[in-house]
């Protein structure tokens, strides 16, 4: 029948790493946690060959797959969709959200 399945290294993978797919779950905040996982993988110079997700995980997966600036796009989307906290001067305060996603 044939030998063991072969795989190719994922784009950007280092060494003898094998290709891998990343499946992201949904669930609001749990789906957003995947941003940290993807950033950690990038830090290790690993890139999944495929990224799929459900609900919030699908939004993260789509941004990651379609945009080179995926992290910034997600950050801007989060800021645009978040309820505005208005300071006493009447200006929106978003610095706390930016720190949370950094």
């Amino acid at each position: 029948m044939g030998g063991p399945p072969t795989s190719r290294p994922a784009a950007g993978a280092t060494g003898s790493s094998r290709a891998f797919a990343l499946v992201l779950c949904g669930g609001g905040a749990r789906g957003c946690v995947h941003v940290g996982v993807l950033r950690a993988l990038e830090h290790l110079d690993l890139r999944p060959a495929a990224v799929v997700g459900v609900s919030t995980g699908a939004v993260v997966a789509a941004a990651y797959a379609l945009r080179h600036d995926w992290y910034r796009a997600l950050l801007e989307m989060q800021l645009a969709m978040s309820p505005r906290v208005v300071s006493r001067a009447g200006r929106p305060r978003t610095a706390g959200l930016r720190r949370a996603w950094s």
Side-chain angles (χ1 to χ4, degrees), residues 5 10 13 15-16 19 24-26 31 34-35 45 51 56 68 71 75 82 85 102:
S16 62
L24 309 179
C25 71
H34 296 306
V35 172
D45 199 27
V51 183
T56 307
H68 70 281
Y71 177 74
L75 178 61
S82 296
V85 178
S102 297

Side-chain angles (χ1 to χ4, degrees), residues 5-9 17-20:
T6 59
S7 66
R8 59 179 174 75
S17 297
R18 301 181 77 138
F20 66 97

Side-chain angles (χ1 to χ4, degrees), residues 36-101:
V37 171
L38 286 166
R39 291 187 75 189
L41 289 171
E42 281 187 344
H43 179 74
L44 296 171
D45 199 27
L46 296 172
R47 183 171 172 84
V51 183
V52 297
V54 170
S55 190
T56 307
V59 173
V60 174
Y64 183 79
L66 295 174
R67 297 184 62 135
H68 70 281
D69 63 340
W70 66 273
Y71 177 74
R72 182 152 187 79
L74 287 172
L75 178 61
E76 289 174 5
M77 184 187 321
Q78 172 66 21
L79 291 174
M81 293 173 34
S82 296
R84 298 285 180 186
V85 178
V86 179
S87 69
R88 289 184 186 172
R91 293 187 299 267
R93 296 186 319 182
T94 57
L97 290 172
R98 287 188 189 279
R99 280 194 300 275
W101 278 66

